[in-house]
Amino acid sequence: MTRIATTAAHAPLDHVQPADTAITGSAAAVQYIAEGCLVDGPLGRIGLELEAHCFDPADPFRRPGWDELNDVLKWIGPLPGGSVITMEPGGAVELSGPPAVGVPSAIDGMRRDQAVLRSTLAEAGLGLVFLGADPLRPPERVNPGARYRAMEEFFAASDSGAAGAAMMTSTASIQINLDAGPRAGWATRVWLAHALGPTMIAIAGNSPMLAGEFTGWQSTRQWVWGQMDSARCGPILGASGVDPGTDWARYALKAPVMMVRSADAGDNVAVTHYVPFADWADGRVLLGNRRPTIADLEYHLTTLFPPVRPRRWLEIRYLDTVPETVWPALAFTLTTLLDHPIAADLAAEAVEPVATAWDVAARVGLSDRRLHVAANRCLALATERAPAELMPAMEELMLNVETGRCPADDFSDRVIDNGIAATVARMAQGEM
C-alpha cells in the first residue's frame, strides 16, 4: 500500500558526519550548508509535486477529516507513475513524483497517478479542487502530526499567526524540482530561477479568494506567503548572488528556529521566542538545554520556505496549483526556460525588468504591462520547443496569456455566474 505520510518526510543532506555530531559554531554550520546544498552534475531530471484541496461535493463547506481521508487513501496500491501520497495540514492531498528524465516523462507519470487518485476519491464521494488557496472554508488543521502542532504554536506566538494558519491549511501549489546543474552555472541558474518567479506567478495565478471572500489578488497564495516572516519565506539571494551556497547558509543561520525535536519519540517542541539558528549554534542560547547537532540543522532547513530552496537540487515553490488542463504547460515552460541553454539566455533578458515584481505579479497578474510582455515572450520561447503531445496544453496557456488572463480570471467568472459553493462542488466533481 502507498504510505500516507506528512510532508515532514524530507530527504536528509548527504553528508558523512553522523546526525548526532554537535555543531561547533555558526561558522561550521555555514560551511556544512554551503558545501552540501547543491550537487554538481548534468541537467535533465525533473520531479513534480502537485497539491489539491479535498472537498465533499455534497457539502463543500465541510472539511474532510484526517481519519476519513486516511481510510480512503490507505487502500491505494503503488501508483503507476511512482508518486507518493502525502497529506497537508489542512487535508490537501499531494502527489510527489519520482525524478524523471525529461519533462514529458514526468508529466505522463503524474497524469496517470492523478487519474488513480481522482477515481479513488470519487468512489468515496470526495473530489479534488485545483486552486492556489481554499476559496470557501476557514483555515483549520486536520493533520495531527507533531510537526504541524509545533508549527501552529510557533506561528501563533509570532506576528504571522493568521498568515501561518492560512499557509498551512488553505494553500496549494505545484512544486518543480530540477537538477542544480554544473557548478560553474549555479549563480546564473539560481538567479534565473528567482527572476522567473514574478512572471510565472502572473501566468499561473489561481487563487482570487480565501475563506469565502474575494481578496483583490490574483494569487492570494503568494499574498499569504508574503505576509510571513521574510527571514523564513523570503527569497534567499544575497547582495552579490555569486555564491548561492553561501547565500543559503547565511539565510538559514539568520532564520529563527521554529521547533526542536526532543528525545521523547521524536516529538517537536515549538520555539515561541525569536532565536536565530546562529545564536543556538554559537551557544548564546540553549534550546532543549543543549547545543544543536547536524540532525537539528538539517531539520531546521526543512522549516524554511523560500520561493526557491536548494536541497541538492532546486525546489521551485512559487506556483499556484492549477487545473489539469494547464499544469503540464506550466511545468514544461518553467523547466524549458531554466534547462534549455538558448531559451534560458533569452528568458533572462525577457524577465529582467520584472525580476523582483513579486507583489505586483500576485496582485494584478498579467494586467501589468511589463509582466504581460515578459509572459508572452517566455511562453513563446517554451512553445517553440514543446513536443506535439503537449501542444494542446501549451496552446490553451498561450491563449490565456495573449489575452491577459490567468486561471484566477476563469475561476472568478464561474463564481460570479454560479456562486462559490456550487462552483467548488462542480469542480470537485470534475465538471469544470
Side-chain angles (χ1 to χ4, degrees):
M1 287 183 285
T2 299
R3 180 172 62 90
I4 307 304
T6 70
T7 52
H10 293 283
L13 295 176
D14 190 16
H15 284 277
V16 296
Q17 294 163 277
D20 60 355
T21 299
I23 296 173
T24 57
S26 58
V30 166
Q31 181 180 3
Y32 180 87
I33 296 170
E35 290 179 352
C37 68
L38 295 174
V39 173
D40 186 13
L43 301 174
R45 292 181 302 169
I46 175 175
L48 297 175
E49 300 182 29
L50 272 68
E51 299 171 346
H53 304 284
C54 189
F55 278 89
D56 177 355
D59 183 4
F61 291 94
R62 184 179 76 86
R63 187 182 294 270
W66 173 257
D67 291 338
E68 177 184 0
L69 288 169
N70 270 285
D71 285 345
V72 175
L73 298 175
K74 70 183 180 182
W75 299 109
I76 299 179
L79 292 170
S83 294
V84 172
I85 301 173
T86 60
M87 205 184 306
E88 296 298 308
V93 181
E94 179 182 51
L95 288 174
S96 300
V101 177
V103 189
S105 177
I107 289 172
D108 177 67
M110 184 57 67
R111 277 175 161 165
R112 288 185 291 141
D113 292 349
Q114 275 193 325
V116 173
L117 178 61
R118 267 193 174 283
S119 175
T120 302
L121 289 170
E123 290 176 2
L126 301 174
L128 298 176
V129 172
F130 294 87
L131 290 166
D134 188 326
L136 189 58
R137 303 170 299 194
E140 180 187 354
R141 179 174 62 86
V142 300
N143 187 324
R147 174 182 172 94
Y148 297 123
R149 288 199 307 272
M151 286 179 70
E152 198 170 58
E153 291 176 28
F154 174 88
F155 290 129
S158 73
D159 293 333
S160 55
M167 178 275 287
M168 289 175 61
T169 68
S170 299
T171 63
S173 69
I174 300 171
Q175 184 171 297
I176 298 177
N177 303 312
L178 300 174
D179 288 314
R183 181 183 299 271
W186 283 354
T188 300
R189 184 167 173 78
V190 171
W191 177 86
L192 182 56
H194 284 82
L196 285 166
T199 298
M200 295 303 301
I201 288 169
I203 292 172
N206 190 34
S207 47
M209 300 186 71
L210 180 67
E213 300 289 340
F214 281 104
T215 64
W217 292 67
Q218 296 287 65
S219 176
T220 300
R221 175 186 175 274
Q222 184 64 26
W223 174 81
V224 167
W225 283 94
Q227 302 306 299
M228 307 289 288
D229 183 359
S230 62
R232 167 164 270 105
C233 301
I236 67 172
L237 284 179
S240 65
V242 298
D243 184 358
T246 299
D247 284 344
W248 175 228
R250 290 173 176 168
Y251 180 105
L253 268 290
K254 290 179 182 178
V257 180
M258 176 180 279
M259 64 187 82
V260 176
R261 292 187 294 179
S262 73
D264 301 328
D267 198 8
N268 295 269
V269 178
V271 179
T272 55
H273 52 294
Y274 198 95
V275 180
F277 193 91
D279 287 0
W280 191 19
D282 288 330
R284 287 188 289 270
V285 177
L286 296 183
L287 298 175
N289 296 316
R290 59 179 177 81
R291 297 276 287 270
T293 64
I294 293 296
D296 291 316
L297 176 55
E298 291 178 352
Y299 195 72
H300 173 65
L301 296 178
T302 73
T303 69
L304 307 180
F305 310 112
V308 179
R309 183 165 67 173
R311 296 205 46 219
R312 295 181 288 178
W313 59 90
L314 293 183
E315 242 182 27
I316 300 173
R317 307 168 52 86
Y318 46 64
L319 295 175
D320 282 9
T321 198
V322 295
E324 293 169 283
T325 57
V326 178
W327 72 253
L330 281 178
F332 181 82
T333 297
L334 184 54
T335 303
T336 299
L337 298 179
L338 281 165
D339 282 8
H340 191 285
I342 296 175
D345 288 343
L346 295 172
E349 295 177 8
V351 302
E352 187 171 13
V354 291
T356 60
W358 297 88
D359 284 351
V360 174
R363 188 175 66 254
V364 301
L366 297 174
S367 296
D368 180 86
R369 182 188 60 81
R370 296 188 307 161
L371 285 164
H372 189 230
V373 170
N376 275 284
R377 179 59 176 145
C378 285
L379 198 55
L381 291 170
T383 302
E384 291 170 4
R385 296 162 174 83
E389 63 267 28
L390 289 181
M391 285 308 297
M394 295 299 295
E395 289 170 355
E396 178 175 340
L397 191 59
M398 281 187 67
L399 179 61
N400 282 351
V401 171
E402 287 172 357
T403 56
R405 292 176 64 86
C406 63
D409 294 304
D410 295 333
F411 176 72
S412 297
D413 288 349
R414 291 166 182 161
V415 169
I416 292 169
D417 290 342
N418 303 295
I420 181 172
T423 298
V424 169
R426 291 178 63 184
M427 292 175 71
Q429 292 172 315
E431 296 179 9
M432 289 183 172

